[in-house]
Amino acid sequence: MIGIDLQNRKPIYEQVVERFQTLIVNGILEPDSQMPSVRSLAMELSINPNTIQKAYSMLEQEGYIYPVKGRGNFVSGNEGLKVKKQESVFRSLKELVEKGKELDISCEMFLEKTKQFYREGGDVSYDSNRQCHKNI
């Protein structure tokens, strides 16, 4: 379901959070479906259960999951989460564009590199409006 990159400088709990956020906002984990238990996921990933618990706490604080006493954690049905995640990506993009402008990178170069990165990123499909979608 999720993978951890031990070479990544990002903390493991953040990797877990980001992966579950992606699975949830893309509808791969459906609303009200049960999340893996802390213990089973920790065993599957060979990491400390406290790391998974920390990731689940962050996901709960951000509204991605909710706990049910004695039953575990479940995926939230909050439709605004995808918009919130997209806005976060656009804020990051804005920061990159501002840094690029400081280095005299043209708009055309940004667009060309964006297209290149989409092509390199794996499966890419286009909807009927020719909008690009990366297949997960």
Side-chain angles (χ1 to χ4, degrees):
M1 180 182 289
I2 67 170
I4 300 300
D5 180 3
L6 299 175
Q7 303 300 319
N8 191 330
R9 292 185 136 159
K10 190 174 291 190
I12 292 173
Y13 77 92
E14 287 183 11
Q15 292 181 50
V16 172
V17 167
E18 288 179 357
R19 186 62 182 144
F20 274 119
Q21 287 174 335
T22 300
L23 293 171
I24 291 168
V25 299
N26 288 327
I28 296 167
L29 292 176
E30 296 182 10
D32 300 318
S33 63
Q34 188 167 12
M35 297 284 289
S37 73
V38 169
R39 186 175 300 162
S40 69
L41 188 56
M43 286 179 54
E44 179 183 327
L45 299 175
S46 300
I47 59 177
N48 190 310
N50 292 333
T51 302
I52 301 299
Q53 186 58 53
K54 184 172 184 176
Y56 278 15
S57 293
M58 287 185 68
L59 288 166
E60 181 183 347
Q61 288 173 0
E62 295 175 6
Y64 287 89
I65 64 174
Y66 63 93
V68 175
K69 192 134 182 114
R71 296 198 51 224
N73 294 291
F74 293 82
V75 175
S76 170
N78 186 341
E79 291 295 320
L81 293 174
K82 187 169 190 169
V83 172
K84 182 179 170 185
K85 190 74 170 165
Q86 289 172 342
E87 288 171 356
S88 172
V89 170
F90 290 134
R91 278 192 301 277
S92 297
L93 178 60
K94 182 178 180 183
E95 291 173 14
L96 287 174
V97 168
E98 289 170 359
K99 288 179 185 178
K101 282 181 174 181
E102 291 173 5
L103 296 171
D104 292 326
I105 298 174
S106 69
C107 179
E108 291 77 19
M109 179 62 79
F110 263 106
L111 292 174
E112 184 56 42
K113 286 293 183 180
T114 301
K115 290 175 185 177
Q116 175 187 342
F117 297 150
Y118 260 97
R119 286 189 299 266
E120 292 172 357
D123 294 339
V124 177
S125 62
Y126 295 87
D127 65 19
S128 60
N129 295 324
R130 295 298 300 157
Q131 292 185 340
C132 185
H133 298 282
K134 182 171 176 161
N135 299 326
I136 293 178

